[in-house]
Amino acid sequence: MAKGKDVRVTVLLECTSCARNGVNINKGSTGISRYITQKNRHNTPNRLELRKFCPYCFKHTIHGEIKK
């Protein structure tokens, strides 16, 4: 019995404020904060959003799921 799709999938979370503001050029930051996590496809069919720490914004912001 082979499964067609895995229930647990790996997703990328990206800082929404860095992506929206063009990565805070005035502070000299060199990237966008990204986290890797897993989610259960059956329990969370929608896009995942978590509040995580962004080292480029120096505060906790909403990180949303992006495509790989």
Side-chain angles (χ1 to χ4, degrees):
M1 287 178 46
K3 293 184 179 179
K5 293 186 177 180
D6 293 332
V7 176
R8 282 225 166 260
V9 292
T10 305
V11 295
L12 287 172
L13 300 176
E14 184 177 83
C15 180
T16 55
S17 64
C18 283
R20 195 174 332 124
N21 294 338
V23 194
N24 296 337
I25 297 168
N26 57 353
K27 291 187 180 179
S29 58
T30 59
I32 296 176
S33 173
R34 288 189 176 163
Y35 285 94
I36 298 174
T37 188
Q38 292 183 338
K39 77 170 187 176
N40 188 323
R41 209 184 301 215
H42 293 302
N43 294 342
T44 356
N46 303 343
R47 291 204 173 229
L48 189 63
E49 283 190 343
L50 295 175
R51 203 168 143 87
K52 307 283 276 179
F53 180 77
C54 177
Y56 302 105
C57 298
F58 301 106
K59 59 184 176 180
H60 283 82
T61 59
I62 295 177
H63 284 65
E65 180 181 337
I66 60 168
K67 288 194 173 186
K68 289 184 182 180

